[in-house]
Amino acid sequence: MELPRLALVGYGRMGREIESLARRRGFAVTAIFSRSRPLTSVQELTEADVVVDFSVAEAVPHTAQLALQAGKRLVIGTTGWEAYREELRRQTDAWGGGVVYASNFAIGVQLLYHLVQQAARFIARMPDYDIFLHEIHHRHKRDAPSGTARKLAELILRELPRKRTASTATEGPLPEDVLHVSASRGGEVIGTHTVYIDAPGESVELIHRAKSRESFAAGALLAAQWIASRQGFYEFSDVLRALLG
């Protein structure tokens, strides 16, 4: 299968990691856009097949609009743009485009999502078991909790009716129907997400610990290769289900 040509939007830690891995794997990187060289027109995307966006949340609507207008497929790894998601879905359908998005493109995180969803469903019948989660990232990260933590909370709330809402509150007693989501920022931690299941006589911890950013880059490249010849609006989990059958 011919590899798609890539345009990268965002050239921070993840942008550089994606460029490095893409070139090592034989992808052509036709353009790189950053704060010092922003994407401003559809003409700048002419040579690309797929636009890969790991920039900042506020830039996603602009990037998506230009990519769709240019007839390019789009992979979004930026977090914090969830309020725009349904509008982007509508625009993708209107333009006949193709988009894959994820709060985390690591394959291991997709496995964590699956395990946590199953665990929440399991303890739904066991009222003595509580569940909560904590994430740790480097001190430079813009959002807290992380997009991955918010996705984990969404999955838990979907499967565990006794938890009605998620909260990051750190003061006072926590009501039983609240799922606690906490975050720490410090050092250069790439990302650690832990889901705790606690009962009077035992506890279980489900942990994903990123050892390098290459795992995120590999997933993004897999998504780019998959969406290059497709239309529609997909989460990365949809891509994996399609590939794994």
Side-chain angles (χ1 to χ4, degrees):
M1 181 185 299
E2 186 176 352
L3 297 176
R5 299 167 298 170
L6 307 178
L8 307 183
V9 178
Y11 201 57
R13 291 175 175 83
M14 273 308 307
R16 292 192 293 271
E17 187 70 46
I18 291 170
E19 181 199 16
S20 175
L21 185 61
R23 295 193 189 282
R24 296 201 308 270
R25 292 190 174 183
F27 289 81
V29 178
T30 63
I32 297 174
F33 303 98
S34 62
R35 286 185 178 181
S36 60
R37 190 210 167 186
L39 173 62
T40 59
S41 70
V42 296
Q43 287 75 23
E44 294 173 299
L45 299 175
T46 301
E47 296 182 0
D49 301 307
V50 180
V51 178
V52 180
D53 185 345
F54 276 78
S55 59
V56 293
E58 53 268 28
V60 169
H62 173 74
T63 299
Q65 183 179 29
L66 291 180
L68 291 172
Q69 289 177 356
K72 309 303 179 182
R73 300 305 185 246
L74 180 62
V75 172
I76 305 173
T78 306
T79 60
W81 60 278
E82 289 81 1
Y84 175 64
R85 185 183 301 164
E86 291 310 310
E87 173 61 18
L88 179 54
R89 186 192 303 273
R90 187 192 65 77
Q91 290 185 15
T92 301
D93 291 341
W95 284 95
V99 174
V100 177
Y101 70 93
S103 58
N104 194 312
F105 275 98
I107 302 296
V109 165
Q110 302 302 313
L111 175 59
L112 179 65
Y113 289 160
H114 176 74
L115 294 174
V116 168
Q117 195 167 13
Q118 295 298 316
R121 189 177 302 155
F122 185 79
I123 67 169
R125 300 185 295 272
M126 300 180 178
D128 288 342
Y129 285 73
D130 199 10
I131 189 168
F132 52 99
L133 63 104
H134 183 72
E135 57 95 347
I136 307 171
H137 278 88
H138 53 85
R139 60 187 176 85
H140 314 285
K141 188 168 176 59
R142 290 171 176 263
D143 56 332
S146 67
T148 302
R150 292 195 297 271
K151 178 65 176 180
L152 287 166
E154 175 188 324
L155 294 173
I156 293 168
L157 293 174
R158 185 185 304 166
E159 301 294 341
L160 192 58
R162 66 175 177 267
K163 295 293 186 183
R164 297 179 179 273
T165 187
S167 173
T168 58
T170 57
E171 295 183 2
L174 195 71
E176 291 185 0
D177 64 350
V178 173
L179 171 67
H180 194 227
V181 180
S182 57
S184 295
R185 295 289 177 267
E188 299 297 331
V189 179
I190 294 174
T192 300
H193 293 84
T194 306
V195 176
Y196 300 87
I197 301 170
D198 190 76
E202 61 181 344
S203 63
V204 176
E205 296 178 12
L206 300 173
I207 304 173
H208 179 272
R209 185 175 292 109
K211 296 191 291 184
S212 80
R213 291 180 175 83
E214 184 172 326
S215 59
F216 310 138
L221 293 177
L222 179 64
Q225 193 170 358
W226 186 85
I227 196 62
S229 59
R230 290 176 170 84
Q231 294 180 334
F233 192 78
Y234 304 95
E235 198 165 1
F236 187 45
S237 57
D238 299 321
V239 176
L240 293 179
R241 276 193 293 270
L243 291 172
L244 297 175

